[in-house]
Amino acid sequence: MLSPTQIYAQECAAKGLRGDYSACRSDFTVEQDYAAYSAEQHEVWTILAARQSLLAQKFAHQSYVSGLKTLDLVDRIPRFETVSQTLFELSGWPLVPVPGLIPAEPFFAHLAQKRFPVTNWLRSMDELDYVVEPDLFHDFFGHVPILVQPEFGDFMQLYGQRALEAIALGGTKLITRLYWYTAEYGLIQEEGQELKAFGAGLLSSGSELPFSLGPSANRVPASIQTIMRTGYEIDRFQRAYFVQRSFGELFEQLTQLDLAAMVAQWGGAEPLDPGSL
Ligand code: HBI
Ligand code: FE
């Protein structure tokens, strides 16, 4: 009798997903085998991190920039335990290594219990600019630094809790869009502040980060209902970027959201075309 993780490992292999799922625990976590990273992989990391941290100074939300400095992520592949301990002390968010994409339910369960899953494999030198699946650089460099910011961390934990509710209601597609247009591609313009990026898909991309804040990007004031109704593509620049007014407001909107009503009304509807917003 195969376990759920063994079944999932077979599915990933069949889909050609990267990552070694053969040794993951029932919650889909693994060990980060730090010694396994080659000198070339450390070089991949330092090239990407040097380039992105320059862009982050200009385009990233202040809390991301300070997280990057505090967690010391730039000079080499970071050690999970070290950063996890620092982050846990700072904002209560330990990191858990995972072999790659894991099923939505365990992913949301980790977030709901204030644990951030970070992929343990890293792209190769000839994939420097783009990998389809989230790798160590996307997760660790893109998602982790801003978790030093309590308001955003609270949103991510609430998101995990409500996403589990949404799955039970049959609203996985709707709730996945909310993650996509905030945690992955979110922009924010706080009162009297400049427009900045906080989404990991932007913060880990050398090209889409400047694009999203540039003249030709389609930026839309954020509304949680519109976000959850809007489709997205995973392998091209986004055709809409939603701009939050504050992390507190995003948290409030998700707290107030009537998920059952949302799923009943829009669960089966055609997605909105982001280009039409
Ligand atoms: N697994 N490791 C990992 N990382 C993710 O970002 C991730 C996932 N599984 C599911 C998932 N994301 C989506 O459901 C979310 O993007 C909504
Ligand atoms: Fe991501």
Side-chain angles (χ1 to χ4, degrees), residues 51-71:
R51 181 182 76 182
Q52 275 314 108
S53 40
L54 269 184
L55 289 170
Q57 305 306 326
K58 194 157 178 259
F59 297 117
H61 187 265
Q62 185 43 41
S63 53
Y64 174 91
V65 177
S66 65
L68 205 50
K69 256 194 224 95
T70 312
L71 300 176

Side-chain angles (χ1 to χ4, degrees), residues 181 218 220 230-233 236 238-242 272-277:
Y181 282 116
N218 173 27
V220 179
T230 304
Y232 61 85
E233 293 100 358
R236 53 181 286 190
Q238 296 310 305
R239 292 186 294 125
Y241 297 96
F242 289 92
L272 293 175
D273 169 15
S276 66
L277 298 179

Side-chain angles (χ1 to χ4, degrees), residues 104-124:
E105 199 275 334
F107 180 71
F108 296 148
H110 281 302
L111 295 185
Q113 290 154 47
K114 253 183 131 164
R115 290 191 301 265
F116 194 80
V118 177
T119 297
N120 65 354
W121 64 264
L122 179 65
R123 70 189 76 179
S124 60

Side-chain angles (χ1 to χ4, degrees), residues 9-248:
Q10 280 183 350
E11 285 164 6
C12 289
K15 280 187 266 180
L17 278 183
R18 293 163 77 160
D20 175 6
Y21 295 80
S22 58
C24 53
R25 303 182 189 91
S26 57
D27 64 357
F28 286 88
T29 58
V30 290
E31 289 308 315
Q32 180 203 34
D33 180 358
Y34 194 79
Y37 295 118
S38 66
E40 186 190 276
Q41 286 183 307
H42 281 280
E43 206 191 330
V44 166
W45 179 276
T46 41
I47 293 167
L48 285 171
R51 181 182 76 182
Q52 275 314 108
S53 40
L54 269 184
L55 289 170
Q57 305 306 326
K58 194 157 178 259
F59 297 117
H61 187 265
Q62 185 43 41
S63 53
Y64 174 91
V65 177
S66 65
L68 205 50
K69 256 194 224 95
T70 312
L71 300 176
D72 183 23
L73 301 184
V74 181
D75 300 335
R76 82 214 66 71
I77 294 176
R79 287 180 185 277
F80 271 70
E81 316 80 59
T82 317
V83 178
S84 182
Q85 185 55 35
T86 311
L87 194 58
F88 180 66
E89 286 157 12
L90 272 177
S91 64
W93 273 93
L95 307 178
V96 285
V98 290
L101 282 171
I102 64 176
E105 199 275 334
F107 180 71
F108 296 148
H110 281 302
L111 295 185
Q113 290 154 47
K114 253 183 131 164
R115 290 191 301 265
F116 194 80
V118 177
T119 297
N120 65 354
W121 64 264
L122 179 65
R123 70 189 76 179
S124 60
M125 195 62 92
D126 54 16
E127 300 170 288
L128 223 44
D129 290 324
Y130 183 70
V131 276
V132 180
E133 301 154 61
D135 72 334
L136 178 73
F137 186 74
H138 167 85
D139 280 347
F140 216 135
F141 196 90
H143 281 289
V144 169
I146 196 163
L147 288 173
V148 301
Q149 211 262 34
E151 276 193 316
F152 183 73
D154 290 348
F155 162 71
M156 288 292 270
Q157 180 175 21
L158 176 66
Y159 176 84
Q161 291 157 351
R162 303 234 61 195
L164 291 172
E165 226 183 297
I167 291 184
L169 289 163
T172 302
K173 245 199 313 218
L174 294 176
I175 204 74
T176 298
R177 292 170 185 156
L178 178 57
Y179 191 86
W180 189 262
Y181 282 116
T182 56
E184 295 298 355
Y185 289 93
L187 301 179
I188 183 167
Q189 180 150 30
E190 289 161 309
E191 187 73 26
Q193 301 288 320
E194 278 175 57
L195 181 70
K196 294 287 181 186
F198 68 88
L202 296 175
L203 294 167
S204 58
S205 165
S207 47
E208 194 164 3
L209 179 52
F211 171 80
S212 68
L213 295 161
S216 38
N218 173 27
R219 288 183 289 271
V220 179
S223 126
I224 198 163
Q225 287 77 8
T226 310
I227 285 178
M228 291 172 75
R229 291 180 51 204
T230 304
Y232 61 85
E233 293 100 358
I234 64 163
D235 50 4
R236 53 181 286 190
F237 282 8
Q238 296 310 305
R239 292 186 294 125
Y241 297 96
F242 289 92
V243 183
Q244 300 295 332
R245 284 159 298 280
S246 76
F247 292 125

